[in-house]
Amino acid sequence: MMTKQRQQLYADMSPHNLTPLWEVLHALVPQAPLTPCDPAFWRYEVVRPYLARAGEVISAEEAVRRVLILENPALRGQSAITQSLYAGLQLILPGEIAPSHRHTQSALRFIVEGKGAYTAVNGERTTMHEGDFIITPSWTWHDHGNESDKPMVWLDGLDIPTIRFFDAGFAENDTSQSQKVTKVEGEGFARFGYNMAPVRHDGVYASPYGRTSPLFSYPIARTMEALHTLERSAKVDAWDGFKLAYTNPLSGGSPMPTIATFMQRLPKGFVGKPHRQTDGVVYSVYEGSGTVRITGVTSEHVFHFTQRDHFVVPSWHNVEFSSPEGATLFSFSDQPIHKALGIHREERLT
Ligand code: GTQ
């Protein structure tokens, strides 16, 4: 019997770490992406009390980073929201410090609740407000502190699973809890945030952070000014509403080499068309409310979102937004990696 002979072959060679390709070829080289990730939704109202309880059982200092990880339900135990990305909600209470360290993983913060705490990057502190987008470039010292009188919560987005995949993770703790402040607040923004850049004798406008944006704070006021201006006067995109990508001002590319970030405005009464793309996307609702329909090959999820909710749209799932009230959504994905590899695809249905 052919089948029996095959089974015998598989069994005999298995101890030698050999396995037949033809049994797995279809799954290895699928006709279209077959992500193991599921669409998922985290309602802030549900998450917030657990964050508060985390604040009662451990200090930011002891935890180093007091974060509840948003785990994809299909990837439990892997600290991943998509195959390549990590997301978590970090709480820092008044008077607390999250000690200084650095790592090769790139990180973003999107401020979800509160104002007045700071993140320090390479000697400069930046005060955080709801809706600000802040980055900590790979291998830069960073610490967080809350000198306000209210708790602060932000979304952490990191490329942890990507760096793990490449086995390229290094980390180091600083010698002091808070790094020394060596620059006034706003210096980085003054150098790079006004469509200008410092002039060097050799004519190169170099980022101090390699392939990462030299801007580490993208304040919400500027972002909303742009989106509101477009909303008043420009033609709305039938799929995205008004959507802008945050950029590295020196390259025009994404602020970090592994993660692209976006803010999009769905105008009041928006009914979007479905589209899909190879990069799985994590969303944080900055303001307003609406509905997202996420359709995979065999599944359909409909989430009704409101301010501070989070959700994830896996690779190659159709996503479709509607918003009677209007909404503004922050999002991030691993799109720069897809583009660097020349494998990014997107499809807009009409
Ligand atoms: O703030 O450096 O959510 O290193 C996970 C790992 C935050 C951080 C996280 C981290 C950080």
Side-chain angles (χ1 to χ4, degrees):
M1 277 300 288
M2 199 57 182
T3 318
K4 216 171 153 195
Q5 284 176 325
R6 286 181 192 174
Q7 292 307 331
Q8 194 57 55
L9 168 64
Y10 303 168
D12 291 347
M13 66 185 177
S14 181
H16 302 283
N17 304 314
L18 294 169
T19 203
L21 169 66
W22 57 89
E23 294 289 345
V24 292
L25 184 57
H26 290 300
L28 281 185
V29 188
Q31 289 190 305
L34 289 173
T35 178
C37 299
D38 284 339
F41 183 74
W42 292 264
R43 188 170 293 294
Y44 196 62
E45 226 174 71
V46 171
V47 174
R48 187 62 178 84
Y50 295 112
L51 272 171
R53 280 172 63 182
E56 288 163 14
V57 300
I58 192 162
S59 69
E61 194 182 328
E62 191 192 345
V64 183
R65 297 292 183 265
R66 190 206 285 117
V67 179
L68 301 186
I69 303 173
L70 307 181
E71 280 199 324
N72 192 289
L75 304 175
R76 292 308 304 270
Q78 296 183 40
S79 304
I81 192 161
T82 67
Q83 294 259 72
S84 61
L85 294 171
Y86 159 104
L89 287 168
Q90 179 158 179
L91 170 72
I92 178 154
L93 294 169
E96 285 193 319
I97 285 172
S100 181
H101 69 185
R102 63 177 178 174
H103 37 71
T104 47
Q105 291 82 359
S106 294
L108 70 87
R109 331 278 163 200
F110 181 71
I111 316 309
V112 169
E113 180 191 322
K115 61 167 185 286
Y118 66 83
T119 279
V121 174
N122 258 12
E124 183 179 338
R125 284 185 180 179
T126 192
T127 309
M128 302 191 278
H129 315 84
E130 256 174 63
D132 287 349
F133 159 60
I134 287 168
I135 60 176
T136 48
S138 176
W139 209 241
T140 50
W141 297 110
H142 55 284
D143 52 274
H144 318 295
N146 188 351
E147 293 174 347
S148 82
D149 57 2
K150 297 254 165 56
M152 277 205 68
V153 178
W154 61 76
L155 172 69
D156 281 331
L158 288 92
D159 54 11
I160 287 173
T162 300
I163 302 303
R164 181 168 61 198
F165 177 77
F166 290 115
D167 287 333
F170 292 90
E172 218 180 316
N173 287 324
D174 210 343
T175 47
S176 64
Q177 296 268 36
S178 300
Q179 63 181 285
K180 206 166 152 233
V181 177
T182 57
K183 300 180 186 112
V184 297
E185 178 160 359
E187 189 176 311
F189 203 83
R191 288 188 202 281
F192 296 101
Y194 293 87
N195 301 320
M196 302 185 91
V199 176
R200 280 180 21 174
H201 70 281
D202 54 3
V204 173
Y205 308 127
S207 170
Y209 310 120
R211 299 189 58 180
T212 302
S213 170
L215 268 181
F216 63 90
S217 172
Y218 295 75
I220 184 64
R222 302 286 300 248
T223 306
M224 290 315 298
E225 193 184 322
L227 288 173
H228 283 145
T229 301
L230 293 175
E231 189 176 356
R232 276 195 301 274
S233 57
K235 188 168 173 286
V236 65
D237 181 89
W239 293 267
D240 290 334
F242 300 96
K243 185 171 184 177
L244 294 174
Y246 294 92
T247 59
N248 174 339
L250 294 179
S251 70
S254 58
M256 289 171 288
T258 47
I259 305 177
T261 43
F262 307 89
M263 192 75 114
Q264 95 194 75
R265 175 81 195 140
L266 308 178
K268 204 172 154 183
F270 184 72
V271 180
K273 293 178 178 175
H275 57 98
R276 59 183 176 177
Q277 54 197 42
T278 49
D279 46 323
V281 184
V282 180
Y283 288 86
S284 179
V285 182
Y286 170 59
E287 62 178 8
S289 64
T291 299
V292 57
R293 180 188 304 274
I294 305 168
T295 316
V297 180
T298 57
S299 70
E300 183 181 81
H301 291 72
V302 176
F303 302 129
H304 301 287
F305 59 80
T306 184
Q307 193 187 27
R308 298 178 174 136
D309 291 343
H310 293 82
F311 54 92
V312 58
V313 179
S315 167
W316 216 238
H317 281 55
N318 273 302
V319 58
E320 203 177 332
F321 290 110
S322 61
S323 176
E325 182 207 359
T328 307
L329 307 175
F330 173 82
S331 60
F332 70 96
S333 84
D334 63 357
Q335 194 179 105
I337 309 178
H338 295 233
K339 291 199 166 162
L341 300 181
I343 55 165
H344 188 253
R345 281 202 202 189
E346 100 190 282
E347 200 174 80
R348 294 183 138 198
L349 305 181
T350 50

